[in-house]
Amino acid sequence: MAISRRSFLKTSTAIGTLAAFELNLGAKSSLINQSSKLVPSVCEMCSTRCPIEAQVIDGKCNFIQGNPKFNANKTSVCARGGAGLNQLYDPKRIVTPLIRVGQRGENKWREASWKEALELCAKKLDEIKQKYGPQSVVFTSKSGESHTQMTNFACAYGSPNIFSHWSCCPITYNMVLSHTYGSGLSRDYANAKYIVNFGHNLFEGLVISDTKKLAKFASKEDAKLLVLDPRFSGVAAKADEWLPVKPGTDLAFLMALIHVWIRDEKYDKKFIEEYTIGIDEVIKSVKETSPKWQENITGIKAKDVERIADEIWAKAPQVIIDWGHKTTTTKAEYQRTRAIAIANALMGNLEKRGGIFFGKDAKTFNKLCGEELFPTLANPDAAFKIPKTQRIDGCGEEGHKHFFISRKHGVLMDIAPAILSQKPYPIKGWVNTRFNHLINVAGTKDTIKAIKELDFVVSIDVYLNDFSNLADVVLPEATYLERDESIQNKSGTAPGYYMRNKAIEPIAGTKSGYEIFRELARLMKIDQNYTWNTINEYRMIQAKGNDKLVADLIKDGYVNWKVPQVYYREKSYVSKFVEKYSNAAQFVDENGQMSSQIKFKTPSGKIELFLASIEEKLPGEGSLNTNNMDVYGGHEFCLMTGKTAIHTNGHTQSLPILNNLMSFSPLWINTKAAKQKNLKDGDKVILKNEFGEVEATLMLTEGIREDTLFLYHGFGHITPDLTRSNMIGTNQSVILNPADGVVCGTMVTNVGVDIIKA
Amino acid sequence: MKKFVMIHNENLCIGCQACSVACRNENKVPDDVYRLQVHIKMSGTFPHLKSDYTRHSCVMCEDSPCVSVCPTGASFKTENGITLIDDRLCVSCKYCILACPYDARFVDPITKAIGKCTFCYENRLLEGKEPACVSVCPTDALVFGDALDQNSEVSKLIAKKSIEYPKAYLNTKPRLGFIKNTKGGRYE
């Protein structure tokens, strides 16, 4: 468009208008007179817990962004995080305790005072304890501080049956890293040269600090991101190479990689010799797992595996073979993640820039620096011990297949069968906080049946969600924007802490998990192990009376100290560290590294490529094996699920601002596969297998293998109060196999199904 | 005087919609209309695929058809090149909606005035803050700043990367530019 005289004139008049406009704005600028503050806090719209800053104008939360003091995120926040204020003000939130008046699930309630509701909970829980013993109440929660507070209460009450969401999400990598390396590890995405990603979809299941680094990594020209995923996911779309691997078969690909590295002697022999045990067992287990062997299993050409093995070795140790987060694809998940842990060790990338490293907290740094420079925390909950009585899932119990699983986290799929069979003993009550068992755990139908058998069910939630709808008492929890909570460790490459501060006072007097469980324990007179009464006391015990730390965390939300990053096996980092902290010189070895500081809390004190402890109790699982990879079970398709960037598991589907962005989750099917079955876009189909059947609506796409189906997890609610999400979309848990994976008891979310036109 | 420019790096964008939620909350955008959207479009044939992530919002043309056609002067440009609407002068005749080649304007269902992206001019820029979408972007795919300041991040980006402007052939000279997607497909 050429500039005409008319438009030129228009522009000049426009500038005239601008003055008036700004004048007008000046009048509007009562903004200046409004009370406006920024409250640093911690997000809870998913499990990541990003540091945030809530803008509060005249007592109303107006905007949420990242806390700029936290450098890894700065002001970034995702769609869910930004929608936190919309949850806070969602008219569908429950703010008054509810007591059921109709049948379970009938959605008939009466409002009650907190006093009445808590007294009813106390009375019912006491009755169950008297009649059946405290072990007959199960406790479920998502992880985080609500889980900690629920665990305290369960211990005080006397039940060992405590569950977190671990078994349906991150249990595998947590267990594998601890078994192999003795503790958790971090990934240096920012400095890597090559990343192998097995569907760790950080671009839809966002962890902002990692997402940011991985996105920047992916956009580099001199680095390679290799993604294996049966679906063209968000992370696959940014990859340098995408391999549409057959569902459940990552393990075969990994074992072929390891086979090539060992065959060609392309691995860090010095590292393996110095830091590991069990290489001979690895050599034995991958003898037959050649690239050719995996070809028919994974669908990836042998020559591609050969090439990739060479590519990775050429970039080692600046390589990350990513173990992912929600790794629940097959019963062999433990072995898959073990193979990843072993592959990393073979590349010698531990404590190397661009590799993997141990998170270093205040205690570690104090030791390295030779003085108490950084405050450490005390544990106000130390007196609470999980009862040693028998659990319904056998976790931590001698002779049980779940021996290795933490008694704090448990195996969720075992709850409903235990209730229905009354084995190993009758279960009579269920206490739940913010976990939607019906959407998130396999065997939804049995769960509903089981809940109906119970004497008493209490649910703490923000919404009248699926599980709460089946409860007897629903206690409305304050949202995270209305809660003061404890000090949490936020150390990565350097020590740091952060803390949730309430942005506004709780609407209509809703209560935090700290308050609810504390009050309940007091009412029931089982609170002798509580060392604190209020959250402020809790914080001060944690801080060991260091009121400056608490004050700084109230003011800034996140506190850290300028400490140079250190990778123990990187000379240049070590020397910079010693320059600043001269006492650390004592830990420097003759290579200029700090390898003496690398400590593995494993039975052998080394990286365990072979696990004697596992082998002893679960023969055959101590070394890599190729069992249990199949996820089809004789069916035509494998149905997978994954996360969307818009919603969090089963929690946010009804939230207006997010519902408007994504109100539905259709079933992905490959165009060719659909045509063969004469199915069209938008067709309603039934997904059917031996575990049940469920309806879905098709979306034809090129972005998935012909033998695979995909759903975004979290839809298919049966919660009449939440009309926006009720009965919309597909709940995959209805047709999942409730049997769990070996060693780590993971819930398997890949399942074989057939499709029938509805 | 400043020349405010926004660059959307399509290689860094992951289509997470954080910008969209931030925009809605910051600007109190009513349901069913939007100032900003990011569209994700997959194309190709399995397994040779790519996904493009494109931002749809006002592109802040230097030569704005919406301003040219506005009969009341409600649509105007600030001296820093930001196209705005003065609600007091807007008669909701919708000429600007028709004139906009970028489909970036809408009728506010509540006020009936015309709405659009403002780069958060009055609520953030005047306070020295970046637009809400830029501030929250998890992958820093959005870069905003003064293109006349050679030291600004946006100037450095423009100097380094090839920037494309939407519907450049219309010669409206947008101040929203894109670094085009190069990702996708399968290694062969």
Side-chain angles (χ1 to χ4, degrees):
Chain A
M1 188 176 293
I3 298 179
S4 66
R5 184 176 153 70
R6 183 171 174 270
S7 69
F8 173 76
L9 277 174
K10 208 65 205 166
T11 311
S12 12
T13 35
I15 290 166
T17 319
L18 173 70
F21 185 82
E22 279 180 341
L23 211 74
N24 182 42
L25 192 82
K28 267 202 270 179
S29 278
S30 49
L31 267 176
I32 299 153
N33 301 325
Q34 285 173 327
S35 92
S36 171
K37 59 175 180 173
L38 292 169
V39 182
S41 192
V42 178
C43 188
E44 195 179 82
M45 290 303 284
C46 81
S47 298
T48 301
R49 310 283 189 268
C50 294
I52 55 164
E53 191 176 72
Q55 183 191 50
V56 180
I57 297 178
D58 280 347
K60 199 165 175 204
C61 185
N62 199 54
F63 191 73
I64 291 171
Q65 61 178 28
N67 182 348
K69 296 221 157 49
F70 184 66
N71 237 347
N73 291 27
K74 298 218 175 71
T75 51
S76 295
V77 75
C78 70
R80 300 166 301 193
L85 63 104
N86 308 92
Q87 174 182 271
L88 171 63
Y89 298 117
D90 188 349
K92 276 292 178 191
R93 238 190 96 182
I94 42 169
V95 290
T96 315
L98 299 173
I99 294 175
R100 175 171 67 82
V101 289
Q103 294 297 307
R104 272 219 178 104
E106 212 185 357
N107 194 31
K108 287 190 180 155
W109 308 90
R110 70 173 174 86
E111 294 190 344
S113 67
W114 273 97
K115 185 170 182 289
E116 185 194 1
L118 286 173
E119 277 172 1
L120 179 61
C121 292
K123 184 173 149 255
K124 289 286 184 184
L125 290 172
D126 260 339
E127 275 172 17
I128 291 175
K129 197 197 300 201
Q130 296 310 323
K131 230 164 148 184
Y132 304 99
Q135 75 287 349
S136 61
V137 175
V138 295
F139 291 83
T140 53
S141 164
K142 63 179 189 152
S143 43
E145 292 182 59
S146 54
H147 180 251
T148 309
Q149 294 318 309
M150 185 194 73
T151 302
N152 289 348
F153 179 82
C155 294
Y157 180 74
S159 175
N161 289 312
I162 300 161
F163 297 82
S164 79
H165 87 299
W166 273 37
S167 52
C168 69
C169 188
I171 197 168
T172 321
Y173 86 87
N174 278 306
M175 280 178 72
V176 165
L177 293 180
S178 122
H179 289 180
T180 313
Y181 288 86
S183 59
L185 287 160
S186 303
R187 298 156 283 214
D188 183 15
Y189 292 124
N191 297 306
K193 291 281 179 212
Y194 202 113
I195 295 174
V196 189
N197 175 301
F198 295 92
H200 184 199
N201 193 355
L202 276 167
F203 299 159
E204 290 181 275
L206 272 72
V207 174
I208 287 177
S209 52
D210 285 343
T211 300
K212 198 186 279 289
K213 285 179 205 135
L214 190 69
K216 288 178 183 177
F217 172 88
S219 73
K220 279 186 198 166
E221 268 152 34
D222 59 343
K224 176 160 178 177
L225 175 61
L226 169 67
V227 171
L228 285 86
D229 196 322
R231 177 177 75 102
F232 194 62
S233 65
V235 71
K238 299 293 185 186
D240 296 289
E241 180 175 0
W242 168 52
L243 297 174
V245 63
K246 189 168 180 175
T249 65
D250 299 341
L251 172 60
F253 173 84
L254 278 152
M255 287 179 77
L257 273 187
I258 297 172
H259 172 97
V260 174
W261 288 332
I262 285 172
R263 182 198 68 199
D264 300 349
E265 299 194 37
K266 287 176 172 169
Y267 63 96
D268 190 337
K269 281 186 216 139
K270 211 167 144 251
F271 179 84
I272 293 295
E273 201 175 305
E274 202 174 333
Y275 294 104
T276 74
I277 57 152
I279 185 69
D280 293 342
E281 301 287 338
V282 176
I283 293 171
K284 247 189 270 168
S285 58
V286 299
K287 214 165 167 208
E288 311 293 332
T289 65
S290 67
K292 194 80 203 148
W293 161 83
Q294 66 83 51
E295 211 171 66
N296 284 333
I297 302 172
T298 64
I300 299 166
K301 289 185 192 119
K303 68 173 173 50
D304 287 334
V305 177
E306 297 275 0
R307 167 179 56 81
I308 288 162
D310 282 351
E311 281 177 10
I312 298 172
W313 174 239
K315 297 291 181 194
Q318 273 178 283
V319 162
I320 297 166
I321 302 157
D322 193 338
W323 46 81
H325 182 83
K326 174 181 171 277
T327 58
T328 57
T329 65
T330 75
K331 288 189 193 170
E333 218 45 57
Y334 183 77
Q335 293 299 341
R336 181 215 78 130
T337 311
R338 274 280 292 161
I340 288 174
I342 291 167
N344 278 298
L346 289 167
M347 293 299 100
N349 60 359
L350 182 73
E351 288 293 333
K352 284 283 189 187
R353 184 174 192 266
I356 61 179
F357 61 96
F358 290 113
K360 295 167 185 79
D361 60 9
K363 200 174 150 203
T364 308
F365 273 101
N366 285 338
K367 199 177 148 247
L368 269 187
C369 302
E371 50 184 318
E372 293 292 304
L373 291 176
F374 314 106
T376 55
L377 299 184
N379 177 13
D381 303 324
F384 293 101
K385 301 276 184 257
I386 297 173
K388 292 205 164 69
T389 42
Q390 186 189 12
R391 281 178 62 105
I392 53 173
D393 56 7
C395 290
E397 285 159 22
E398 204 61 59
H400 199 283
K401 66 173 180 169
H402 293 154
F403 174 78
F404 292 98
I405 298 165
S406 161
R407 289 168 73 84
K408 255 190 188 166
H409 298 291
V411 176
L412 288 160
M413 298 77 73
D414 286 3
I415 298 176
I419 296 172
L420 292 171
S421 68
Q422 306 210 10
K423 279 179 188 148
Y425 47 76
I427 293 294
K428 296 291 173 185
W430 191 330
V431 176
N432 171 56
T433 168
R434 293 284 305 281
F435 184 72
N436 198 340
H437 202 94
L438 273 61
I439 297 287
N440 297 328
V441 181
T444 308
K445 270 198 184 138
D446 276 353
T447 304
I448 295 169
K449 221 192 287 172
I451 293 172
K452 290 187 174 168
E453 302 268 303
L454 297 173
D455 288 357
F456 186 65
V457 181
V458 51
S459 182
I460 301 166
D461 209 327
V462 172
Y463 290 114
L464 206 45
N465 225 324
D466 304 56
F467 185 91
S468 300
N469 189 47
L470 293 173
D472 299 291
V473 177
V474 183
L475 302 175
E477 195 186 30
T479 71
Y480 66 99
L481 293 165
E482 304 155 288
R483 302 202 298 253
D484 280 330
E485 292 192 343
S486 72
I487 306 171
Q488 297 286 318
N489 186 20
K490 191 73 184 157
S491 304
T493 53
Y497 296 107
Y498 71 161
M499 191 167 81
R500 178 172 289 142
N501 296 304
K502 62 179 163 195
I504 66 158
E505 287 303 318
I507 290 174
T510 54
K511 291 178 192 288
S512 72
Y514 282 84
E515 292 164 328
I516 293 171
F517 285 115
R518 182 70 187 88
E519 281 187 39
L520 206 48
R522 190 182 291 119
L523 266 176
M524 294 177 71
K525 301 191 175 61
I526 52 171
D527 66 334
Q528 56 276 14
N529 281 335
Y530 282 84
T531 52
W532 49 277
N533 286 299
T534 64
I535 186 64
N536 284 329
E537 287 178 22
Y538 193 97
R539 287 168 164 180
M540 281 307 278
I541 297 170
Q542 280 191 298
K544 301 176 190 167
N546 181 346
D547 52 356
K548 184 172 182 310
L549 178 64
V550 176
D552 285 348
L553 283 164
I554 290 172
K555 184 165 83 51
D556 296 330
Y558 170 73
V559 167
N560 72 336
W561 297 267
K562 288 222 170 342
V563 180
Q565 209 174 315
V566 58
Y567 300 106
Y568 293 138
R569 296 178 63 233
E570 289 284 4
K571 237 167 105 173
S572 59
Y573 284 79
V574 166
S575 63
K576 267 196 201 123
F577 191 82
V578 173
E579 239 171 66
K580 180 152 182 191
Y581 302 106
S582 53
N583 286 344
Q586 59 179 314
F587 301 118
V588 180
D589 59 28
E590 64 259 28
N591 301 334
Q593 301 181 356
M594 283 188 177
S595 45
S596 63
Q597 293 311 293
I598 303 178
K599 300 225 165 69
F600 306 104
K601 291 177 211 145
T602 54
S604 62
K606 301 237 179 183
I607 299 171
E608 301 208 341
L609 306 181
F610 170 73
L611 296 164
S613 53
I614 302 282
E615 187 65 24
E616 188 201 323
K617 294 212 152 62
L618 300 167
E621 300 299 340
S623 28
L624 294 179
N625 66 58
T626 59
N627 308 331
N628 298 312
M629 268 189 284
D630 175 61
V631 286
Y632 286 80
H635 296 279
E636 192 176 358
F637 293 94
C638 167
L639 171 67
M640 315 190 308
T641 52
K643 293 197 180 187
T644 149
I646 317 288
H647 290 295
T648 297
N649 299 335
H651 182 69
T652 58
Q653 283 70 22
S654 163
L655 185 57
I657 196 167
L658 298 179
N659 184 277
N660 282 340
L661 279 167
M662 183 181 186
S663 59
F664 182 64
S665 167
L667 180 75
W668 293 37
I669 185 170
N670 178 283
T671 314
K672 245 191 235 162
K675 274 196 184 132
Q676 271 165 16
K677 302 191 88 56
N678 205 21
L679 294 167
K680 292 186 302 296
D681 202 68
D683 274 356
K684 295 241 188 294
V685 293
I686 305 288
L687 299 173
K688 200 172 174 180
N689 62 17
E690 54 275 43
F691 308 108
E693 52 182 81
V694 70
E695 198 183 75
T697 307
L698 290 185
M699 182 189 87
L700 270 55
T701 171
E702 290 293 321
I704 195 160
R705 287 172 59 96
E706 282 180 48
D707 55 8
T708 309
L709 307 169
F710 175 81
L711 275 173
Y712 281 117
H713 170 70
F715 289 82
H717 288 251
I718 43 163
T719 178
D721 193 56
L722 299 175
T723 45
R724 261 191 218 94
S725 53
N726 186 36
M727 306 300 279
I728 290 173
T730 308
N731 177 7
Q732 188 217 17
S733 294
V734 175
I735 49 167
L736 284 182
N737 182 353
D740 59 3
V742 293
V743 188
C744 59
T746 191
M747 184 180 95
V748 181
T749 58
N750 279 4
V751 67
V753 290
D754 293 315
I755 279 194
I756 304 155
K757 197 166 175 177
Chain B
M1 203 170 72
K2 287 181 170 138
K3 182 180 174 181
F4 284 122
V5 171
M6 186 185 289
I7 306 293
H8 178 233
N9 187 338
E10 295 179 358
N11 289 303
L12 282 174
C13 178
I14 55 172
C16 72
Q17 312 297 336
C19 50
S20 176
V21 168
C23 174
R24 305 195 82 84
N25 278 331
E26 175 67 39
N27 298 299
K28 310 286 175 269
V29 181
D31 289 351
D32 306 321
V33 291
Y34 63 91
R35 290 181 172 207
L36 151 67
Q37 279 190 333
V38 172
H39 293 180
I40 308 172
K41 190 169 168 271
M42 191 193 292
S43 55
T45 312
F46 181 92
H48 304 282
L49 300 165
K50 67 169 185 151
S51 283
D52 292 320
Y53 302 79
T54 49
R55 179 188 165 104
H56 291 248
S57 73
C58 173
V59 302
M60 302 293 174
C61 310
E62 279 178 30
D63 190 355
S64 319
C66 57
V67 171
S68 309
V69 301
C70 179
T72 64
S75 269
F76 69 98
K77 293 194 76 70
T78 71
E79 61 170 353
N80 294 330
I82 294 168
T83 310
L84 295 178
I85 300 157
D86 186 339
D87 281 1
R88 297 165 308 165
L89 299 177
C90 178
V91 293
S92 202
C93 70
K94 306 181 188 69
Y95 282 180
C96 58
I97 295 182
L98 290 170
C100 174
Y102 303 96
D103 197 17
R105 296 182 161 222
F106 56 86
V107 180
D108 185 308
I110 296 159
T111 65
K112 307 295 176 203
I114 305 301
K116 66 180 278 293
C117 167
T118 60
F119 280 173
C120 295
Y121 179 80
E122 47 169 317
N123 39 345
R124 293 177 74 99
L125 289 198
L126 289 182
E127 292 176 31
K129 293 195 278 191
E130 292 181 316
C133 55
V134 178
S135 183
V136 302
C137 178
T139 58
D140 304 328
L142 291 167
V143 176
F144 180 84
D146 179 9
L148 298 178
D149 171 5
Q150 289 193 339
N151 295 318
S152 71
E153 207 189 329
V154 83
S155 293
K156 286 179 198 161
L157 193 63
I158 292 168
K160 208 167 65 185
K161 294 270 186 184
S162 149
I163 312 287
E164 291 188 24
Y165 294 92
K167 299 189 181 172
Y169 55 90
L170 293 175
N171 207 23
T172 60
K173 299 184 202 139
R175 287 188 178 180
L176 172 64
F178 302 88
I179 296 173
K180 294 308 284 182
N181 177 34
T182 58
K183 293 282 173 185
R186 180 186 180 219
Y187 189 92
E188 283 293 315

